[in-house]
């Protein structure tokens, strides 16, 4: 590529113009002399990215975990490919890689460098990365799975020549500058550049990979080992997969010799030779993952898998796909959270043996009913750990946190800080908590007056790597893990995966040399986690079986019950001994399972837990249990459903939290896609086990744009919470339901509630839900069908009524299609209506399949008591709407179960309910759902009934407000029928003017001050 004849003027900064000029002048020399990557990085790429705002040399002196740029992101990598030269990060979170090549490399056409970069970035789950020799600058979409046969242009979305920097610098800076990433421009560009076809996230692909292994292993093992039970087969398959992944990842990181597993492809007896490698790993690592010999004080060894028969063909195919070029993965770059996410999904299925002893893979029933497995995003886990474990570390020394003496030996009458996840799954929360502790200890040691004192002695805590960075020794990493990290899960396989993930974290950034140093010290490299990570049901204790006949429970029942004794010898007796027993922090994401799925446990849970109600989800029991497991002043932090805030079933858990803990923070994510494939509305709850009753912080859901920045690692929840959050008085927790309003808003709501009665007091018996049919297509008919039925039998018209849905109700208007409801309440004599009977008979089998409380031809929920209200003039409103939509129905329409009614022809009340003040009120108290474009309020009976109204509105409704209601109803009807833009415009002005007059009258009626009016107007500006 020839040098440009002339440098064009541009907006590129002087430093970039100088670099371009320098390269143009010496380009031929650089090509001819073999100018290498080290010089290129120093002379061109470092200043290039400095110009983009990156701190290339860590001038700010950040610890390694928080540096902007890591040079050669992984120092130890596989022989097939080394790591990219740069990793650019924000707050320690990777954003993109840059791979540097000498100018003699043809970036545009050379396949090798492009495949190398894409393979590494795809495995690290980064959306974009850069390949450059300064002369050319190539940006790749790294979400597309790399293939050994790909051309260099595959997935490339931008290719610039160095002369382009002058004219297109703004384009580069708008995406890859540090400022652009902080503002979210990088993420927006990545999303806009995303090629939907062919993209395959590494976690999805790796999940497919190990699921294929499971199927191949299960089928072959069940065929060759006829005595295996279902449980043994599941255990054997998982252990083989875990061990292979562990050893392969150790190879990728340079801890094991690269290609050791690959050597098994040569020769026969492949599985026997693999078992020999497992035995060697047992000698080296001392992990429960490899445990084949009886040892005092340890759980029984694995005597199952070494004796299995497994065909060479099956195992060799698995091993072959682990290495370049067949494998698209760089195991050195596979993040721990991705491995956890993959395993979380992997554990959602189980192997079943058929009657013919053939293996079949099935989704677990509880996973199928829950609609899948939902993995907690890392940014949520980071936030929870920082605000629980992080708070407990503040102002403490390593000795205090570790329960150690001044000389770092175990101290008498002192305990280490302990962190528990009681439903740990694949270990995602524990991995982050462990990493947080590792970073904290390293910071404490290296920022002390004399870091080297921690590197001396018989048991050094830190050492210096070849690059000069301080690192924790393996012995110290093991001590931190065993002292601080605890977990329980009901699923034995999940427990083993958690152990695997934590063990890999122990070895992170270690090398064969550092491992050998441990062996030289007569220590095996890894700890046995059997005393830290245990299998059991966190909610069910051994008292479950008291008074019950055990022989009534099947093996499957016992596994589902899996009682766990927290304080017994198989639990954590040391944690629950001495003064102030319990864990210091309990964190996690409890399972979201309805009680109906575990009928067997319901009597026990009902008797044991204060938070029980008939419609409880499992997570409420976890909230209570986890507070019981905390020591006094211990910290609780979990992501849970926000339903308990206002739902009727949440009353007991609200009472429990208000009286048994000190709530610290409630961070609401209602409606935001924290779990993209799930509809659960979440919040993060922080408490302290304390009798203190202090104000707490409530942070409302952030705007979608801000949430996207959080999800992409650009913005932190802490900063968002500081900007959006506000203080709530503890007394709010003592209310029937939890409405976390801003203080000024709460004062106005309280004044209105205190000063006035409410709708429920005047019209409570006349507030109701519409009709639920149970089979809409049988009972809801069109005009043609109605006419035909009445023609056959004129009495049919007595039970056929106009029908409307919630979506038909607008503000002051009902805009419904011509449809009708066949109204057959319970107790009706259907024989009196032969035409209706004939019509419904066509649906008889499906009607009979409904809930069995009614006869087959009766409505499922007929609201018998409300028939008189439905036939009469009434106020109707939808169950869900973005703002107040109340209308007067004077035509006796019957509503669906998406409608509510107030059985009163009260025009003044109608006007108030459509006012700006009502919009303010309902926005503050209603539960809500976030739609794709706006928030929808849920107008349930309890919210509308609680709306405050002056007594005069109920006793004397015929007033000025009523006149306005009739007037605006007429105007809205005219507007809906207007034919021309001119008519619509004129009517719209009249409607808006009338609305302003109504609002002014309502403000006067309720005695609002100027400040209160301004508050309402500002809060409802967009309504």
């Amino acid at each position: 590529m020839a040098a440009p004849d002339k440098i064009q003027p541009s907006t590129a900064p002087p430093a970039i113009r100088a670099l371009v000029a320098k390269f143009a002048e010496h380009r031929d020399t650089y090509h001819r002399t073999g100018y290498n990557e080290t010089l290129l990085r120093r002379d061109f790429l470092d200043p290039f990215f400095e110009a983009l705002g990156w701190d290339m040399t860590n001038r700010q002196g950040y610890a390694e975990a928080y540096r902007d740029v890591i040079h050669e992101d992984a120092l130890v990598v596989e022989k097939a490919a080394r790591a990219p030269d740069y990793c650019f990060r924000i707050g320690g979170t990777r954003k993109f890689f840059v791979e540097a090549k000498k100018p003699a490399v043809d970036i545009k056409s050379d396949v090798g460098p492009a495949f190398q970069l894409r393979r590494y970035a795809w495995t690290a789950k980064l959306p974009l990365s850069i390949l450059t020799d300064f002369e050319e600058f190539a940006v790749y979409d790294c979400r597309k799975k790399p293939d050994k046969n790909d051309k260099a242009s595959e997935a490339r979305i931008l290719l610039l020549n160095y002369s382009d920097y002058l004219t297109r610098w703004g384009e580069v800076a708008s995406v890859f500058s540090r400022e652009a990433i902080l503002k979210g421009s990088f993420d927006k560009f990545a999303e806009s550049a995303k090629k939907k076809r062919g993209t395959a996230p590494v976690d999805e692909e790796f999940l497919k990979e190990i699921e294929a292994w499971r199927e191949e292993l299960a089928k072959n093992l069940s065929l060759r080992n006829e005595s295996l039970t279902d449980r043994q087969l599941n255990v054997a398959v998982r252990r083989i997969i875990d061990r292979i992944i562990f050893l392969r990842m150790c190879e990728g990181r340079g801890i094991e010799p690269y290609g050791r597993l690959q050597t098994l492809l040569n020769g026969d007896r492949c599985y026997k030779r693999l078992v020999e490698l497992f035995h060697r790993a047992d000698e080296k690592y001392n992990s429960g993952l490899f445990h084949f010999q009886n040892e005092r004080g340890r759980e029984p060894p694995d005597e199952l898998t070494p004796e299995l028969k497994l065909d060479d063909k099956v195992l060799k195919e698995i091993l072959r796909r682990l290495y370049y070029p067949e494998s698209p993965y760089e195991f050195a770059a596979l993040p721990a959270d991705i491995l956890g996410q993959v395993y979380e999904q992997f554990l959602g299925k189980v192997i079943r043996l058929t009657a013919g002893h053939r293996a079949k893979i099935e989704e677990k029933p509880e996973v199928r009913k829950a609609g899948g497995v939902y993995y907690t995003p890392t940014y949520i886990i980071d936030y929870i750990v920082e605000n629980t474990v992080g708070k407990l570390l503040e102002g403490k020394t390593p000795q205090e946190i570790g329960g150690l003496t001044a000389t770092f030996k175990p101290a008498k009458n002192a305990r280490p800080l302990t962190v528990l996840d009681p439903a740990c799954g694949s270990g995602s929360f524990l991995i982050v908590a462990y990493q947080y502790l590792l970073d904290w200890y390293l910071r404490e040691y290296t920022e002390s007056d004399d870091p080297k004192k921690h590197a001396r002695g018989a048991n050094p805590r830190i050492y210096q790597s070849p690059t000069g960075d301080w690192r924790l020794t393996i012995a110290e990493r093991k001590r931190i893990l065993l002292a601080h990290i605890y977990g329980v899960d009901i699923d034995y396989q999940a427990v083993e995966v958690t152990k695997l993930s934590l063990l890999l974290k122990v070895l992170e950034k270690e090398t064969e040399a550092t491992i050998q140093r441990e062996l030289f010290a007569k220590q095996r490299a890894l700890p046995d986690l059997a005393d830290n990570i245990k299998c059991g049901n966190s909610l069910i204790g051994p008292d479950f079986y008291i008074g019950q006949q055990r022989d009534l429970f099947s093996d499957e029942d016992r596994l589902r019950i899996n009682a766990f004794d927290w304080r017994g010898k198989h639990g954590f007796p040391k944690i629950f001994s001495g003064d102030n027993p319990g864990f210091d922090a309990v964190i996690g994401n409890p399972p979201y399972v309805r009680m109906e799925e575990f009928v067997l446990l319901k009597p026990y849970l009902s008797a044991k837990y204060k938070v029980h109600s008939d419609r409880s989800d499992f997570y409420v029991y976890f909230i209570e249990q986890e507070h019981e497991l905390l020591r006094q002043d211990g910290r609780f932090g979990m992501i849970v459903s926000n339903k308990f805030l206002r739902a009727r079933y949440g009353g007991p858990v609200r009472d429990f939290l208000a009286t048994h803990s000190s709530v610290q923070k409630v961070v609401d994510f209602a409606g935001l896609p924290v779990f993209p494939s799930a509809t659960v509305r979440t919040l993060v709850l922080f408490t302290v086990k304390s009798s203190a009753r202090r104000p707490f912080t409530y942070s409302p859901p952030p705007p979608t744009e801000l949430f996207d920045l959080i999800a992409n690692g650009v913005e932190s929840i802490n900063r968002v919470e500081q900007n959006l959050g506000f203080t709530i008085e503890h007394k709010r927790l003592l209310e029937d339901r939890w409405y976390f309003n801003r203080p000024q808003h709460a004062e106005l709501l309280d004044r209105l509630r205190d000063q006035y009665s409410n709708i429920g007091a005047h019209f409570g018996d006349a507030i109701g839900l519409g009709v639920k049919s149970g089979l809409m297509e049988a009972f809801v008919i069109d005009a043609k069908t109605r006419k035909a039925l009445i023609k056959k039998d004129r009495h049919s018209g007595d039970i056929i009524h106009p029908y409307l849905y919630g979506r038909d109700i607008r503000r002051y208007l009902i805009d419904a299609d011509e449809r009708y409801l066949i109204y057959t309440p319970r107790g009706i004599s259907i024989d009196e209506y032969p035409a209706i009977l004939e019509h419904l008979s066509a649906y008889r089998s499906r009607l009979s399949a409904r809930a069995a409380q009614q006869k087959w031809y009766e409505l499922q929920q007929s609201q018998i008591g409300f028939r008189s209200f439905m036939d009469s003039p009434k106020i109707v409103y939808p169950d869900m709407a973005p703002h107040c939509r109340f209308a007067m129905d004077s035509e006796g329409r019957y509503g669906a179960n998406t409608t509510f009614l107030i059985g009163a022809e009260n025009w003044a009340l109608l006007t108030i309910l459509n006012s700006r003040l009502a919009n303010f009120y309902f926005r503050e108290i209603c539960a809500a759902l976030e739609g794709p474009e706006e928030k929808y309020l849920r107008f349930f009976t309890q919210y509308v009934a609680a709306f405050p109204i002056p007594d005069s509105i109920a006793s004397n409704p015929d007033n000025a407000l009523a006149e306005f209601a009739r007037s605006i109803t007429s105007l809205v009807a005219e507007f809906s029928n207007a034919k021309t833009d001119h008519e619509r415009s004129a009517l719209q002005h009249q409607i808006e003017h009338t609305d302003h007059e109504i609002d002014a009258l309502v403000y006067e009626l309720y005695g609002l001050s100027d400040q209160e009016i301004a508050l309402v107007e500002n809060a409802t500006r967009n309504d």
Side-chain angles (χ1 to χ4, degrees):
M1 187 177 292
D5 295 330
K6 184 179 180 181
I7 302 297
Q8 299 294 323
S10 81
T11 56
I16 295 302
R17 294 201 296 272
L19 286 175
V20 170
K22 178 181 176 182
F23 193 89
E25 181 181 355
H26 299 288
R27 176 184 174 279
D28 291 341
T29 303
Y30 295 150
H31 276 264
R32 188 173 58 253
T33 60
Y35 190 68
N36 63 38
E37 288 95 336
T38 301
L39 294 173
L40 177 81
R41 289 166 60 178
R42 184 192 67 194
D43 296 343
F44 288 96
L45 296 186
D46 285 357
F48 180 92
F49 286 101
E50 285 277 4
L52 289 169
W54 295 97
D55 183 358
M56 301 300 291
T57 56
N58 195 31
R59 292 189 307 274
Q60 298 177 82
Y62 288 153
E64 184 184 11
Y66 299 102
R67 291 178 182 177
D68 271 10
V69 184
I70 298 296
H71 298 262
E72 290 194 352
D73 185 48
L75 296 173
V76 180
V77 293
E78 300 182 0
K79 292 182 179 180
R82 65 178 180 80
D85 296 278
Y86 302 95
C87 176
F88 289 80
R89 312 187 301 177
I90 294 290
T93 300
R94 290 168 166 172
K95 299 305 293 185
F96 63 91
F97 289 137
V98 172
E99 173 65 7
K101 294 297 176 186
K102 57 187 178 182
V105 173
D106 185 356
I107 296 292
K108 182 178 180 180
S109 305
D110 197 337
V111 170
F115 182 65
Q116 175 184 334
L117 173 74
R118 289 177 54 213
R119 192 167 178 250
Y120 213 96
W122 180 74
T123 303
K125 210 174 182 181
L126 300 184
L128 305 176
S129 282
I130 297 167
L131 179 65
T132 184
D133 58 359
F134 189 80
E135 183 174 14
E136 294 176 295
F137 183 93
V139 179
Y140 284 90
D141 182 345
C142 298
R143 287 165 294 209
K144 184 168 185 180
K145 182 180 178 181
D147 186 273
K148 60 182 179 180
N149 297 316
D150 286 343
K151 296 179 179 179
S153 59
E154 187 68 41
R156 189 168 62 206
I157 57 176
L158 181 67
L159 180 64
L160 301 178
N161 181 270
Y162 71 101
S163 61
D164 294 329
Y165 302 149
L166 301 178
T167 57
R168 300 177 69 178
W169 179 255
E171 188 177 336
V172 174
S174 68
V175 177
F176 293 103
S177 70
R178 192 175 191 278
E179 181 182 14
I181 290 183
L182 288 172
K183 290 182 176 179
S185 300
F186 174 89
D187 298 300
K188 289 177 182 176
F189 176 79
E191 191 59 32
S192 66
K194 189 174 183 180
K195 296 180 179 178
K196 300 290 184 183
R197 295 184 64 184
T199 58
V202 65
D203 47 357
E204 292 180 12
E205 287 299 304
F206 195 59
L207 175 61
K208 290 178 187 175
E209 187 78 40
I210 63 173
E211 283 185 330
W213 298 355
R214 171 169 57 192
E215 186 167 3
E216 293 161 11
L217 289 170
K219 287 180 177 178
N220 193 253
L221 288 171
S222 62
L223 181 66
R224 299 295 179 213
N225 304 269
E226 295 182 356
S227 63
L228 283 177
T229 64
D230 288 59
R231 184 163 174 76
Q232 288 173 330
L233 181 59
N234 277 279
V235 168
V237 168
R238 196 217 69 253
R239 282 179 176 171
I240 293 169
I241 290 174
D242 288 354
R243 290 162 182 168
I244 289 173
I245 289 175
F246 178 86
L247 292 176
R248 182 64 185 87
M249 291 187 74
C250 286
E251 285 186 26
R253 297 173 181 186
I255 298 169
E256 288 284 321
Y258 179 80
R260 175 170 281 177
L261 288 171
Q262 195 174 29
T263 62
L264 300 177
L265 297 174
N266 303 317
D268 55 9
R269 299 174 57 255
C270 187
Y271 182 67
K272 288 294 183 185
R273 290 186 290 137
L274 178 63
V275 170
E276 290 173 7
L277 291 184
F278 291 165
H279 277 278
R280 271 186 263 171
D282 186 15
E283 296 170 5
K284 184 174 183 178
Y285 294 112
N286 185 43
S287 159
L289 183 62
F290 304 101
H291 179 39
F292 305 105
Q293 304 295 328
N294 279 304
E295 295 181 41
R296 181 181 296 177
R298 295 187 65 185
E299 59 189 0
D302 175 13
E303 298 177 345
L304 172 66
T305 61
E307 304 303 320
L308 294 174
K309 297 175 182 178
L310 179 61
D311 288 343
D312 285 356
K313 182 180 178 181
V314 172
L315 184 55
K316 285 185 177 182
E317 180 59 24
I318 291 172
L319 298 177
R320 184 181 62 80
R321 299 203 300 264
L322 289 173
Y323 291 92
Y324 177 89
E326 300 301 324
S327 170
Y329 312 103
E330 287 284 358
F331 284 90
L334 197 65
D337 65 324
I338 288 180
L339 187 63
Q341 186 170 355
V342 167
Y343 261 112
E344 199 90 17
Q345 300 289 330
F346 182 76
L347 295 177
K349 294 181 180 178
V350 68
I351 306 167
R352 299 287 185 199
L353 286 170
T354 67
H357 210 262
R358 291 184 178 275
K360 183 179 180 182
I361 313 298
E362 297 177 349
E363 198 167 47
K364 291 179 179 176
E366 61 270 27
V367 171
R368 184 173 61 254
K369 290 173 182 176
V373 177
Y374 307 112
Y375 184 83
T376 311
T378 303
Y379 64 88
I380 294 287
I381 302 173
D382 289 340
Y383 177 64
I384 290 174
V385 169
E386 184 178 355
N387 283 275
T388 50
V389 179
K391 294 294 183 185
L392 292 167
L393 295 175
E394 288 177 358
K396 300 292 179 62
T397 66
Q399 290 95 327
E400 290 173 310
I401 293 301
L404 304 170
T405 65
T407 56
F408 289 89
K409 293 181 179 178
K412 293 181 179 179
N413 303 319
R415 285 189 357 182
L417 176 147
T418 52
V419 183
L420 169 73
D421 183 347
C424 61
S426 63
S428 53
F429 277 84
L430 296 180
I431 292 166
V432 172
Y434 179 41
Q435 184 63 59
Y436 195 94
L437 286 160
L438 293 174
D439 293 340
W440 181 84
Y441 271 106
L442 181 61
R443 207 161 47 242
E444 290 293 311
Y445 293 150
T446 56
E447 293 178 3
S448 64
D449 295 337
D450 180 16
K452 292 184 178 179
K453 71 181 180 182
H454 295 290
R456 295 191 289 264
N459 298 300
R461 289 165 288 285
I462 57 175
Y463 71 96
Q464 275 187 298
S465 73
T467 60
D469 293 322
W470 287 107
R471 295 183 181 175
L472 295 169
T473 62
I474 295 181
E476 179 66 358
R477 294 169 76 93
K478 287 193 292 186
R479 183 196 68 78
I480 292 169
L481 176 58
L482 291 174
H484 300 301
I485 301 298
Y486 294 84
V488 175
D489 199 275
I490 194 170
D491 187 336
Y492 176 74
Q493 295 196 79
V495 167
E496 294 305 307
V497 169
T498 295
K499 292 179 183 178
L500 169 65
S501 300
L502 289 168
L503 296 175
L504 286 167
K505 179 62 72 172
V506 172
L507 296 178
E508 201 167 62
K509 295 186 179 179
E510 297 301 332
T511 66
E512 178 68 13
T514 57
I515 298 294
Q516 289 299 328
R517 185 175 60 203
E518 295 287 320
L519 295 175
F520 182 76
K522 296 184 179 180
Q523 293 187 39
R524 286 188 282 185
L526 291 174
D528 185 341
L529 295 176
D531 289 337
N532 290 63
I533 314 298
K534 295 178 179 286
C535 183
N537 189 329
S538 292
L539 300 178
I540 306 297
D543 57 335
F544 176 86
Y545 290 105
I546 294 176
Q548 303 212 46
Q549 290 181 265
R550 298 201 179 206
D551 57 356
L552 294 179
F553 297 100
S554 67
D555 289 343
E556 190 67 28
D557 287 339
R558 279 189 284 272
L559 287 174
R560 286 165 69 86
I561 296 165
N562 200 3
F564 184 70
D565 187 356
W566 286 94
R567 292 161 176 78
K569 66 177 182 178
H570 297 299
F572 303 103
K574 291 183 180 179
I575 301 294
F576 292 99
S577 62
D579 297 332
N580 195 13
F583 292 92
D584 293 276
V586 180
I587 58 178
N589 176 12
Y592 300 87
V593 184
R594 293 302 301 269
M595 179 50 60
E596 289 85 343
E597 304 299 331
F598 291 89
V599 176
L600 186 68
L601 307 179
K602 189 171 182 177
Y604 176 85
L605 295 173
S606 173
K608 180 173 181 177
Y609 289 96
K610 302 178 182 72
V611 298
H612 172 78
S613 79
D614 287 340
R615 296 179 61 81
S616 294
D617 287 348
F618 249 36
Y619 73 87
V620 303
Y621 301 103
F622 273 91
I623 289 175
E624 178 177 341
Q625 176 72 315
E626 286 150 24
H627 281 83
E628 295 299 326
L629 297 173
L630 281 171
R631 66 191 310 185
Q632 194 64 25
D633 296 320
R635 288 185 173 266
F636 166 98
M638 289 215 162
I639 180 169
V640 296
S641 166
N642 77 346
K643 282 186 177 181
F644 81 89
L645 293 180
R646 298 175 190 176
R648 196 169 279 111
Y649 80 74
V653 72
R654 292 193 294 269
D655 291 343
F656 177 86
L657 288 168
T659 55
H660 289 76
S661 75
S662 177
V663 174
Q664 304 289 298
K665 291 183 186 180
V666 178
V667 182
D668 208 341
F669 288 101
L672 294 166
V674 173
F675 301 99
S677 57
T679 56
V680 62
R681 298 163 54 76
T682 57
L683 59 77
V684 179
L685 174 66
F686 295 105
T687 72
V688 172
K689 187 175 182 179
S690 166
S691 58
R693 300 292 176 257
R694 301 188 182 95
F696 63 95
T697 300
Y698 173 74
S699 183
T704 302
E705 300 79 13
L706 191 53
F707 174 77
D708 289 342
L709 294 179
I710 293 171
N712 287 307
V714 176
E715 188 55 270
S716 76
I717 303 178
N718 271 323
R719 283 195 296 269
V720 171
E721 170 218 316
Q722 289 166 9
N723 291 329
L724 296 182
F726 49 88
T727 301
I728 301 288
E729 293 297 322
H730 177 268
K731 66 180 181 180
R732 293 289 173 194
L733 300 178
L734 303 177
E735 295 176 350
D736 182 46
R737 287 179 172 83
W738 286 0
Y739 302 107
F740 297 144
N741 315 110
R742 293 185 180 278
Q744 306 96 310
H745 295 195
E747 288 176 16
L748 175 55
L749 294 173
D750 285 346
R751 183 181 76 74
L752 295 175
R753 291 187 190 114
D754 292 342
Q755 193 168 340
Y756 303 101
S757 57
N758 57 50
I759 289 177
H762 295 285
F763 304 102
D765 293 338
I767 304 175
L769 178 68
V771 176
K772 185 175 182 180
S773 71
L775 186 64
M776 188 173 67
E777 62 186 283
F779 294 97
V780 179
I781 59 176
D782 57 20
K784 182 179 178 181
T785 305
R786 172 182 176 272
K787 185 176 180 179
L789 290 172
I790 294 175
K791 186 175 180 180
K792 288 182 181 179
D793 171 24
R794 62 186 178 84
H795 294 297
S796 295
D798 297 342
I799 59 171
I800 298 177
H801 303 273
Y803 188 65
L804 63 101
Y805 299 128
R807 64 174 180 266
D808 300 327
I809 305 171
R810 323 308 285 179
R811 191 166 173 265
Y812 294 112
L813 178 71
I814 296 173
D815 185 17
D817 295 333
E818 193 174 359
R819 73 177 80 86
Y820 299 87
L821 173 73
I822 297 173
Y823 186 72
T824 55
R826 294 178 195 172
I828 193 170
S829 178
I830 195 65
D831 294 333
E832 295 179 12
Y833 307 96
I836 298 293
L837 177 60
E838 181 185 354
H839 169 80
L840 293 178
S841 293
Y843 303 92
R844 180 162 186 165
S845 60
R846 293 165 66 190
L847 288 169
S848 298
R850 299 173 301 161
Q853 294 180 0
Q854 72 285 323
K855 295 178 181 178
W856 70 267
Y857 52 81
E858 293 176 346
L859 291 162
Q860 194 168 63
Q861 178 184 318
S862 60
Q863 297 285 38
I864 299 171
F866 279 89
R867 182 170 186 179
S868 61
F869 294 129
M870 291 179 187
D871 288 330
S872 306
K874 57 189 174 293
I875 296 172
V876 293
Y877 56 98
D879 68 332
M880 182 169 64
H883 50 76
C884 293
R885 287 182 176 172
F886 292 82
M888 186 67 72
D889 170 42
S890 301
E891 298 182 18
R893 294 180 178 92
Y894 282 44
N897 66 327
T898 55
T899 68
F900 285 89
L901 64 92
I902 302 174
E905 189 180 11
N906 191 314
W907 289 89
L909 177 60
L910 173 68
T911 312
I912 292 172
L913 288 171
N914 278 325
S915 71
R916 190 174 288 272
L917 179 61
N919 263 327
F920 168 80
Y921 178 88
F922 289 120
R923 281 201 171 278
E924 292 293 314
I925 72 156
C926 284
L929 291 175
E930 270 68 21
E933 297 181 358
E934 56 188 338
K935 183 164 84 171
Y936 286 81
L937 305 178
R938 307 303 304 272
F939 287 89
F940 295 145
T941 299
Q942 66 262 30
Y943 304 136
V944 174
F947 184 83
I949 59 169
D951 292 339
S952 61
I953 296 300
S955 61
N956 183 28
D958 194 14
N959 54 31
L961 280 173
E963 288 304 312
F964 274 116
R966 293 186 179 95
S967 174
I968 199 169
T969 296
S970 177
L971 289 169
V972 170
E974 287 184 57
F975 180 85
S976 70
N977 294 319
K979 304 299 182 185
T980 68
D981 289 343
H982 177 71
E983 285 181 281
R984 279 190 288 270
S985 178
L987 287 165
Q988 183 64 40
H989 287 310
Q990 281 187 271
I991 292 168
E992 289 174 358
H993 178 73
T994 306
D995 262 331
H996 288 313
E997 290 187 275
I998 289 171
D999 286 335
L1001 280 175
V1002 171
Y1003 293 152
E1004 183 180 351
L1005 178 67
Y1006 284 87
L1008 265 63
S1009 66
D1010 290 344
Q1011 292 84 356
E1012 289 172 332
I1013 291 171
L1015 190 104
V1016 171
E1017 298 276 343
N1018 288 332
T1020 58
R1021 186 179 293 115
N1022 297 322
D1023 288 350

